[in-house]
Amino acid sequence: MTPQKPLAARAPITPAGLMFLAITSVGWGFNWPVTKYLLSELPPLTMRGSTGVVGAALLAGLAILRGQSLRVPREMWFRLVLAAILNVACWMTLMGLALLWLPASEAALIAYTMPVWASLLAWPILGERPNLLRVISLVMAFAGLAAIMGGNGFAASSAKMPGIIMALGGAFGFAVGTVLAKKLPLALPPLSAAAWQIGIGCLPVAVAGLLIEKSDVAALSNLGWILLVYATVIQFCVAYVSWFAALSRLPASVAAIGTMAVPVIGVVTAAVALHEPLGPGQIAALIFTLAGVVLATRS
């Protein structure tokens, strides 16, 4: 998952900030093939929801250790729940289901069209009229999607269409949450805000998984347990803490553009670890998607 672009004051670029940004990108990038593999041993809602709930509890404990209050002012609850639904529940559910139809590399690329949709949604929600760069970024994003859909022929594209729709839905929902966060900001400490959003967003997903899915955690392989710990601790704790540390040490624009390493890492590691295709179609999609995101973040 990608956090919303912060509105913090410009900070100087520091080596420590770049190090934390690299840790974040690697942690989130590796999580795409990790999640894809885990779906071969656990159903999507149970896996995504349960790791999120445990990750939220760990983040809450870390926030307390660092002296951050978990108290939520009464006027913040509506904003908090709305952000949790759009940025976490929608993202976790739809992206987890999308991986049932899509390779991890393609799901990651579609997910990272989110800044493009956010830049366009800023017009009706925030009154920010799209400029030429935003229009071009949309064209580049669609070119990336076309490369994904046309990479293996029409029949293959039709078979994975449910995954494409769900991944786009997850990215669009997160974009709506990102733009609304600028209009309705959360007045909470960063770790506390992340813990609450992940917990509120993932709890109903985990409950739904327990009710409608059949999972046998005892049957998990040794590798499955290792990857489950990774998906919980590294994705939700180490990467998030590193992200907030990077934000405090880097300009917001540098941090946002730096996270574009995530889909690159996701595509390459999925090709190496899961033997997913990395041909001209995937490379073209990567180039178009990243170009669109660069233009969106610079507009």
Side-chain angles (χ1 to χ4, degrees):
M1 157 172 98
T2 307
Q4 60 221 29
K5 189 175 177 180
L7 301 178
R10 188 173 182 86
I13 297 176
T14 67
L18 295 175
M19 179 192 69
F20 284 121
L21 184 59
I23 293 172
T24 301
S25 298
V26 170
W28 282 337
F30 281 1
N31 196 61
W32 286 99
V34 165
T35 301
K36 179 69 174 180
Y37 178 87
L38 284 173
L39 287 174
S40 66
E41 299 196 19
L42 287 173
L45 299 182
T46 301
M47 189 270 292
R48 298 285 276 180
S50 59
T51 55
V53 170
V54 176
L58 293 174
L59 274 176
L62 183 61
I64 293 172
L65 288 175
R66 298 186 66 173
Q68 293 187 13
S69 173
L70 293 175
R71 192 183 74 84
V72 179
R74 181 179 301 177
E75 65 274 11
M76 287 291 112
W77 274 109
F78 173 77
R79 301 182 183 187
L80 180 61
V81 173
L82 183 62
I85 292 172
L86 292 171
N87 293 342
V88 180
C90 177
W91 176 272
M92 288 290 178
T93 302
L94 292 177
M95 285 302 174
L97 293 173
L99 284 168
L100 297 177
W101 284 273
L102 294 176
S105 56
E106 295 181 5
L109 288 173
I110 295 174
Y112 273 79
T113 61
M114 184 275 293
V116 178
W117 313 126
S119 69
L120 294 177
L121 287 168
W123 184 10
I125 296 176
L126 302 177
E128 298 177 4
R129 288 183 174 274
N131 54 27
L132 180 60
L133 284 180
R134 292 187 182 184
V135 174
I136 295 175
S137 73
L138 180 63
V139 174
M140 299 297 284
F142 276 122
L145 291 174
I148 290 174
M149 295 176 65
N152 297 314
F154 180 78
S157 296
S158 298
K160 60 189 179 184
M161 186 58 68
I164 292 174
I165 293 172
M166 289 181 184
L168 279 173
F172 191 82
F174 199 98
V176 174
T178 298
V179 177
L180 285 179
K182 295 182 180 181
K183 191 176 185 68
L184 304 170
L186 283 172
L188 294 172
L191 284 179
S192 300
W196 275 114
Q197 288 184 70
I198 294 170
I200 294 172
C202 286
L203 183 58
V205 177
V207 171
L210 292 174
L211 293 176
I212 67 177
E213 294 177 337
K214 293 182 178 179
S215 57
D216 186 4
V217 179
L220 271 176
S221 65
N222 290 335
L223 178 58
W225 277 110
I226 293 172
L227 296 182
L228 193 63
V229 172
Y230 180 96
T232 303
V233 177
I234 303 300
Q235 176 192 193
F236 287 114
C237 295
V238 174
Y240 261 99
V241 172
S242 296
W243 170 250
F244 290 127
L247 288 182
S248 67
R249 294 168 172 84
L250 296 173
S253 59
V254 173
I257 294 173
T259 58
M260 290 187 297
V262 175
V264 177
I265 294 170
V267 168
V268 174
T269 54
V272 173
L274 302 178
H275 307 292
E276 292 185 358
L278 185 58
Q282 288 75 23
I283 294 174
L286 185 63
I287 292 172
F288 282 126
T289 301
L290 292 183
V293 173
V294 168
L295 292 174
T297 55
R298 288 183 177 274
S299 64

PDB file of all heavy atoms in Angstrom, residues 41-42 215-222 225 228:
ATOM      1  N   GLU A  41      -1.527 -20.326  -0.491  1.00  0.00           N
ATOM      2  CA  GLU A  41      -1.680 -21.096   0.747  1.00  0.00           C
ATOM      3  C   GLU A  41      -2.799 -20.577   1.641  1.00  0.00           C
ATOM      4  O   GLU A  41      -3.278 -21.311   2.514  1.00  0.00           O
ATOM      5  CB  GLU A  41      -0.356 -21.088   1.528  1.00  0.00           C
ATOM      6  CG  GLU A  41       0.802 -21.718   0.763  1.00  0.00           C
ATOM      7  CD  GLU A  41       1.973 -22.058   1.675  1.00  0.00           C
ATOM      8  OE1 GLU A  41       1.771 -22.156   2.899  1.00  0.00           O
ATOM      9  OE2 GLU A  41       3.091 -22.220   1.152  1.00  0.00           O
ATOM     10  N   LEU A  42      -3.215 -19.319   1.453  1.00  0.00           N
ATOM     11  CA  LEU A  42      -4.284 -18.733   2.264  1.00  0.00           C
ATOM     12  C   LEU A  42      -5.255 -17.984   1.364  1.00  0.00           C
ATOM     13  O   LEU A  42      -4.843 -17.407   0.357  1.00  0.00           O
ATOM     14  CB  LEU A  42      -3.707 -17.758   3.303  1.00  0.00           C
ATOM     15  CG  LEU A  42      -2.951 -18.352   4.499  1.00  0.00           C
ATOM     16  CD1 LEU A  42      -2.315 -17.224   5.300  1.00  0.00           C
ATOM     17  CD2 LEU A  42      -3.880 -19.173   5.383  1.00  0.00           C
ATOM     18  N   SER A 215      -9.869 -21.456   5.673  1.00  0.00           N
ATOM     19  CA  SER A 215      -8.419 -21.374   5.722  1.00  0.00           C
ATOM     20  C   SER A 215      -7.880 -22.327   6.780  1.00  0.00           C
ATOM     21  O   SER A 215      -8.505 -22.528   7.820  1.00  0.00           O
ATOM     22  CB  SER A 215      -7.965 -19.941   6.037  1.00  0.00           C
ATOM     23  OG  SER A 215      -8.528 -19.493   7.254  1.00  0.00           O
ATOM     24  N   ASP A 216      -6.728 -22.897   6.498  1.00  0.00           N
ATOM     25  CA  ASP A 216      -6.080 -23.828   7.425  1.00  0.00           C
ATOM     26  C   ASP A 216      -4.676 -23.312   7.699  1.00  0.00           C
ATOM     27  O   ASP A 216      -3.717 -23.642   6.997  1.00  0.00           O
ATOM     28  CB  ASP A 216      -6.042 -25.240   6.817  1.00  0.00           C
ATOM     29  CG  ASP A 216      -5.506 -26.279   7.806  1.00  0.00           C
ATOM     30  OD1 ASP A 216      -5.241 -25.904   8.971  1.00  0.00           O
ATOM     31  OD2 ASP A 216      -5.363 -27.444   7.410  1.00  0.00           O
ATOM     32  N   VAL A 217      -4.580 -22.471   8.732  1.00  0.00           N
ATOM     33  CA  VAL A 217      -3.290 -21.870   9.057  1.00  0.00           C
ATOM     34  C   VAL A 217      -2.275 -22.934   9.455  1.00  0.00           C
ATOM     35  O   VAL A 217      -1.077 -22.815   9.175  1.00  0.00           O
ATOM     36  CB  VAL A 217      -3.459 -20.829  10.187  1.00  0.00           C
ATOM     37  CG1 VAL A 217      -2.112 -20.213  10.564  1.00  0.00           C
ATOM     38  CG2 VAL A 217      -4.430 -19.737   9.771  1.00  0.00           C
ATOM     39  N   ALA A 218      -2.752 -24.022  10.083  1.00  0.00           N
ATOM     40  CA  ALA A 218      -1.844 -25.090  10.509  1.00  0.00           C
ATOM     41  C   ALA A 218      -1.173 -25.768   9.333  1.00  0.00           C
ATOM     42  O   ALA A 218      -0.104 -26.377   9.482  1.00  0.00           O
ATOM     43  CB  ALA A 218      -2.613 -26.115  11.350  1.00  0.00           C
ATOM     44  N   ALA A 219      -1.792 -25.656   8.146  1.00  0.00           N
ATOM     45  CA  ALA A 219      -1.229 -26.316   6.966  1.00  0.00           C
ATOM     46  C   ALA A 219      -0.215 -25.436   6.225  1.00  0.00           C
ATOM     47  O   ALA A 219       0.324 -25.859   5.197  1.00  0.00           O
ATOM     48  CB  ALA A 219      -2.347 -26.713   6.015  1.00  0.00           C
ATOM     49  N   LEU A 220       0.038 -24.247   6.758  1.00  0.00           N
ATOM     50  CA  LEU A 220       1.014 -23.372   6.116  1.00  0.00           C
ATOM     51  C   LEU A 220       2.394 -24.014   6.080  1.00  0.00           C
ATOM     52  O   LEU A 220       2.831 -24.633   7.054  1.00  0.00           O
ATOM     53  CB  LEU A 220       1.111 -22.039   6.866  1.00  0.00           C
ATOM     54  CG  LEU A 220       0.176 -20.902   6.460  1.00  0.00           C
ATOM     55  CD1 LEU A 220       0.373 -19.724   7.394  1.00  0.00           C
ATOM     56  CD2 LEU A 220       0.399 -20.483   5.026  1.00  0.00           C
ATOM     57  N   SER A 221       3.076 -23.848   4.956  1.00  0.00           N
ATOM     58  CA  SER A 221       4.438 -24.354   4.849  1.00  0.00           C
ATOM     59  C   SER A 221       5.380 -23.467   5.653  1.00  0.00           C
ATOM     60  O   SER A 221       5.011 -22.375   6.107  1.00  0.00           O
ATOM     61  CB  SER A 221       4.872 -24.359   3.378  1.00  0.00           C
ATOM     62  OG  SER A 221       4.929 -23.021   2.877  1.00  0.00           O
ATOM     63  N   ASN A 222       6.609 -23.948   5.840  1.00  0.00           N
ATOM     64  CA  ASN A 222       7.600 -23.136   6.562  1.00  0.00           C
ATOM     65  C   ASN A 222       7.846 -21.809   5.842  1.00  0.00           C
ATOM     66  O   ASN A 222       7.944 -20.748   6.473  1.00  0.00           O
ATOM     67  CB  ASN A 222       8.915 -23.909   6.691  1.00  0.00           C
ATOM     68  CG  ASN A 222       8.797 -25.079   7.636  1.00  0.00           C
ATOM     69  OD1 ASN A 222       7.949 -25.082   8.534  1.00  0.00           O
ATOM     70  ND2 ASN A 222       9.633 -26.093   7.444  1.00  0.00           N
ATOM     71  N   TRP A 225       4.934 -19.431   6.496  1.00  0.00           N
ATOM     72  CA  TRP A 225       5.002 -18.742   7.791  1.00  0.00           C
ATOM     73  C   TRP A 225       5.998 -17.593   7.753  1.00  0.00           C
ATOM     74  O   TRP A 225       5.733 -16.504   8.287  1.00  0.00           O
ATOM     75  CB  TRP A 225       5.390 -19.726   8.899  1.00  0.00           C
ATOM     76  CG  TRP A 225       4.249 -20.504   9.440  1.00  0.00           C
ATOM     77  CD1 TRP A 225       3.997 -21.828   9.279  1.00  0.00           C
ATOM     78  CD2 TRP A 225       3.170 -19.990  10.247  1.00  0.00           C
ATOM     79  NE1 TRP A 225       2.822 -22.189   9.922  1.00  0.00           N
ATOM     80  CE2 TRP A 225       2.310 -21.080  10.522  1.00  0.00           C
ATOM     81  CE3 TRP A 225       2.851 -18.737  10.745  1.00  0.00           C
ATOM     82  CZ2 TRP A 225       1.137 -20.929  11.290  1.00  0.00           C
ATOM     83  CZ3 TRP A 225       1.692 -18.578  11.499  1.00  0.00           C
ATOM     84  CH2 TRP A 225       0.859 -19.664  11.760  1.00  0.00           C
ATOM     85  N   LEU A 228       4.464 -14.830   5.819  1.00  0.00           N
ATOM     86  CA  LEU A 228       3.363 -14.222   6.567  1.00  0.00           C
ATOM     87  C   LEU A 228       3.902 -13.234   7.596  1.00  0.00           C
ATOM     88  O   LEU A 228       3.336 -12.152   7.796  1.00  0.00           O
ATOM     89  CB  LEU A 228       2.538 -15.314   7.253  1.00  0.00           C
ATOM     90  CG  LEU A 228       1.175 -14.899   7.818  1.00  0.00           C
ATOM     91  CD1 LEU A 228       0.255 -14.439   6.693  1.00  0.00           C
ATOM     92  CD2 LEU A 228       0.541 -16.049   8.581  1.00  0.00           C
TER      93      LEU A 228
END
